[in-house]
């Protein structure tokens, strides 16, 4: 027959250890519940629409800018899906041959959304050069395609797949606006060709060098004239302040320099 001994009479030291463990466990449990509560509040306070998307450029309300450029984005943003690979595009849009030509270099994003006129795909490239290069590839491939309507809008390469009516598909593409602008801190280096920029830069450098040389010569001449005039004025002032000087030693001499005083007639020797 089994007999149960009360806990407080079997081992006092064991009772103390158990009580300590229970206290620590209770404190840890309370701390864990408090952290979970704080995390749930922070997750709940996030803007609606910010969690399902992962984009490089997100607006203040948590919705990516690429989605906001879709036609009627307030209606379709719940159905919009981002893609970062060709496999994701095919899983959403189907196995279209044109999708095999799509590449995703660094910074490239794509978003899809269903519309009544077809499935819209918008690919945003990081640079205009990449968008232009892809545009040439897509245009040559879709020359004879009737179920896919394509257009390049800014850095957006937009497609409408399974388009039954091309007019409706084009009207859908008309609603896409590329509103991003690049503002240079200085002069836009792509306004002119590199060859013309080199010629203009060389001409500007030649003219500026010539102007500096001419200005240097003119400044040197002007400084020389002013210095000569000042030096001549100082010498004239000093010469005017000097007493009359003659080297005749009191003897009669020709008054060629005008410094010898006239001889008084009364002092001339007579016979």
């Amino acid at each position: 027959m089994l007999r149960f001994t009360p806990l407080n009479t079997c081992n006092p030291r064991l009772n103390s250890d158990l009580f300590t463990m229970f206290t620590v466990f209770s404190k840890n449990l309370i701390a864990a519940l408090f952290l979970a509560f704080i995390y749930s509040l922070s997750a709940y306070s996030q803007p609606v629409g910010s969690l399902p998307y992962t984009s490089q450029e997100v607006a203040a309300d948590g919705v990516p800018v690429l989605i906001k450029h879709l036609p009627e984005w307030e209606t379709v943003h719940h159905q919009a899906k981002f893609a970062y690979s060709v496999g994701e595009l095919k899983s959403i849009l189907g196995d279209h041959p044109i999708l095999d030509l799509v590449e995703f270099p660094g910074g490239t994003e794509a978003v899809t959304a269903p519309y009544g006129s077809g499935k819209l795909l918008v690919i945003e490239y990081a640079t205009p050069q990449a968008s232009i290069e892809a545009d040439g590839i897509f245009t040559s491939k879709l020359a004879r395609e009737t179920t896919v309507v394509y257009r390049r809008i800014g850095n957006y390469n937009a497609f409408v797949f399974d388009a039954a009516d091309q007019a409706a598909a084009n009207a859908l593409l008309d609603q896409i606006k590329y509103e991003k602008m690049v503002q240079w801190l200085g002069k836009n280096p792509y306004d002119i060709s590199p060859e013309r920029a080199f010629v203009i830069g060389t001409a500007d450098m030649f003219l500026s060098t010539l102007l500096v040389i001419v200005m240097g010569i003119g400044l040197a001449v002007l400084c020389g004239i002013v210095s000569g005039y000042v030096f001549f004025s100082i010498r004239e002032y000093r010469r005017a302040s000097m007493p009359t000087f003659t080297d005749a030693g009191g003897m009669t001499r020709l008054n060629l320099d005008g410094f010898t005083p006239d001889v008084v007639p009364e002092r001339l020797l007579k016979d």
Side-chain angles (χ1 to χ4, degrees):
M1 181 178 181
L2 297 175
R3 298 182 62 184
F4 294 93
T5 305
L7 186 60
N8 57 356
T9 60
C10 62
N11 192 339
R13 184 174 181 180
L14 180 61
N15 292 343
S16 177
D17 295 338
L18 292 175
F19 179 77
T20 303
M21 293 174 60
F22 177 78
T23 303
V24 174
F25 176 78
S26 301
K27 292 181 179 180
N28 292 337
L29 180 61
I30 294 173
L33 292 176
F34 179 77
L35 292 176
F37 177 73
I38 295 297
Y39 178 78
S40 62
L41 288 180
S42 63
Y44 180 77
S45 63
Q46 291 184 0
V48 177
S50 62
L51 295 179
Y53 311 116
T54 301
S55 178
Q56 299 185 35
E57 189 175 3
V58 181
D61 56 357
V63 179
V65 177
L66 186 57
I67 288 184
K68 286 194 170 185
H69 288 178
L70 292 175
E72 301 177 359
W73 72 271
E74 297 91 346
T75 305
V76 302
H77 76 277
H78 294 292
Q79 298 175 312
K81 297 181 180 180
F82 270 87
Y84 302 94
S85 65
V86 178
E88 293 177 355
L89 290 179
K90 289 185 177 182
S91 63
I92 299 171
L93 302 172
D95 191 8
H96 293 275
I98 190 63
L99 296 179
D100 294 329
L101 304 178
V102 178
E103 297 181 357
F104 285 86
T108 303
E109 296 179 346
V111 64
T112 64
Y115 290 88
S117 55
K119 298 179 181 178
L120 178 63
L121 168 64
V122 179
I123 305 174
E124 181 182 9
Y125 289 89
T127 60
Q129 291 79 8
S131 178
I132 294 173
E133 182 179 355
D135 177 68
I137 298 175
F138 297 151
T139 303
S140 60
K141 179 66 176 180
L142 297 174
R144 300 181 180 179
E145 184 68 38
T146 58
T147 60
V148 179
V149 180
Y150 166 76
R151 187 186 305 174
R152 179 175 180 265
I153 307 170
N155 280 2
Y156 293 160
N157 296 68
F159 300 82
V160 178
F161 292 92
D162 302 330
D165 186 1
Q166 291 194 357
N170 286 314
L172 180 64
L173 294 177
D174 291 337
Q175 302 179 44
I176 301 176
K177 305 298 181 183
Y178 185 79
E179 300 175 347
K180 298 181 181 180
M181 298 181 61
V182 177
Q183 184 175 2
W184 298 92
L185 297 178
K187 186 178 180 181
N188 186 357
Y190 299 104
D191 282 343
I192 56 178
S193 62
E195 293 80 8
R196 182 171 176 79
F198 175 76
V199 172
I200 294 176
T202 305
D204 291 342
M205 183 178 63
F206 175 77
L207 291 177
S208 60
T209 304
L210 181 61
L211 181 61
V212 169
I213 293 174
V214 172
M215 291 180 61
I217 294 175
L219 184 61
V221 172
L222 180 61
C223 291
I225 294 174
V226 173
S227 300
Y229 177 76
V230 171
F231 181 75
F232 178 78
S233 300
I234 295 175
R235 292 292 301 271
E236 285 296 319
Y237 175 76
R238 290 181 178 178
R239 182 178 298 173
S241 61
M242 292 174 60
T244 302
F245 173 79
T246 178
D247 58 352
M251 299 174 60
T252 303
R253 58 186 295 274
L254 295 175
N255 190 13
L256 298 178
D257 52 6
F259 290 129
T260 304
D262 295 335
V263 178
V264 181
E266 288 79 5
R267 295 186 178 183
L268 293 176
L269 297 176
K270 298 180 181 181
D271 296 337

